Amino acid sequence: MAKSNYVPLFETKQVKGRVVFRCIAASIFLGICFIVMYRVMFFPVGGKAERWVWIGQFLSELWFCFYWFLTTVSRWNSVYRLPYIQRLSQRFEKELPGIDIFVCTADPLIEPPSMVVNTVLSVMAYDYPPEKLSIYLSDDGGSDLTFYAMLEAANFSKTWLPFCKKFRVEPTSPEAYFRTASEPLNDADNWLSVKVILIFV
């Protein structure tokens, strides 16, 4: 029995301009029909070379027609789906599976520790039940620099993660956020939180 408070996880909407697309497709189909009629009605009866060229052209045009038909059919009734991500956790929060995320790095010169740390912090700030989210860093190079960077990131995460959840920060990567974030609004809590975070950065 369906619940009365059931809400869909996505909304399906039709793509605009379908009528124009169908008119153009119909005109192309008409042109293809004329080409096929022309190839069949005016098949050369003369030299052998002319016939083989004619047959080759006709076969290539048939292949184009088949390809065009497949692509047109797939776009004939185009739709796009608008997902409501927040509803997923509301409906299935207790049933959501555990997720293991592996972040791989090998060379601290090619992949700077700051980039690795930003990736790990960004993943940790996902909107997902924290008890079901496990993040692993695989450092094939065994770099001490990456290790100490992760120790600092662990301390910084105690401030960064609550800040992300409280203010719904996007993007959740600290580097990207502080590069693109505009000046905080007249919100004392937000401004004080940013000041605390900047001390760690």
Side-chain angles (χ1 to χ4, degrees):
M1 186 174 184
K3 296 182 180 179
S4 58
N5 59 352
Y6 175 83
V7 288
L9 296 178
F10 61 88
E11 183 181 354
T12 302
K13 294 186 177 180
Q14 295 180 339
V15 175
K16 294 180 180 178
R18 289 187 310 146
V19 175
V20 175
F21 172 76
R22 289 180 179 181
C23 290
I24 294 172
S27 65
I28 293 174
F29 179 72
L30 188 63
I32 289 173
C33 291
F34 284 135
I35 290 173
V36 171
M37 285 174 55
Y38 172 77
R39 289 291 180 201
V40 172
M41 291 174 64
F42 296 96
F43 188 80
V45 292
K48 209 172 189 180
E50 292 178 5
R51 274 186 284 174
W52 281 114
V53 170
W54 194 272
I55 291 171
Q57 288 179 342
F58 186 46
L59 291 176
S60 63
E61 287 165 355
L62 286 178
W63 176 252
F64 163 75
C65 295
F66 177 70
Y67 171 76
W68 174 86
F69 177 77
L70 291 180
T71 55
T72 303
V73 166
S74 65
R75 299 173 186 168
W76 189 256
N77 193 21
S78 296
V79 297
Y80 67 93
R81 290 178 173 83
L82 182 65
Y84 300 110
I85 300 173
Q86 68 279 5
R87 293 180 182 176
L88 181 65
S89 59
Q90 291 172 3
R91 188 190 298 179
F92 299 109
E93 188 163 5
K94 294 180 181 177
E95 302 174 20
L96 289 174
I99 295 180
D100 294 330
I101 299 176
F102 290 86
V103 179
C104 300
T105 183
D107 187 348
L109 297 177
I110 299 174
E111 301 163 337
S114 61
M115 183 176 70
V116 175
V117 163
N118 275 285
T119 302
V120 171
L121 289 172
S122 176
V123 172
M124 290 175 68
Y126 278 173
D127 185 14
Y128 203 81
E131 66 277 3
K132 296 186 177 183
L133 186 64
S134 301
I135 297 102
Y136 303 92
L137 176 64
S138 173
D139 183 10
D140 294 339
S143 167
D144 291 338
L145 188 59
T146 304
F147 174 75
Y148 288 117
M150 284 307 302
L151 285 179
E152 291 298 323
N155 292 329
F156 177 65
S157 67
K158 296 173 185 175
T159 305
W160 177 248
L161 298 180
F163 175 78
C164 288
K165 289 183 180 174
K166 183 176 180 182
F167 298 105
R168 298 186 179 275
V169 169
E170 286 294 338
T172 54
S173 166
E175 182 182 1
Y177 174 75
F178 289 113
R179 192 183 329 116
T180 59
S182 58
E183 188 175 340
L185 301 174
N186 295 327
D187 185 345
D189 291 338
N190 190 347
W191 175 240
L192 289 174
S193 299
V194 170
K195 283 177 66 178
V196 170
I197 287 175
L198 286 173
I199 291 171
F200 285 94
V201 176

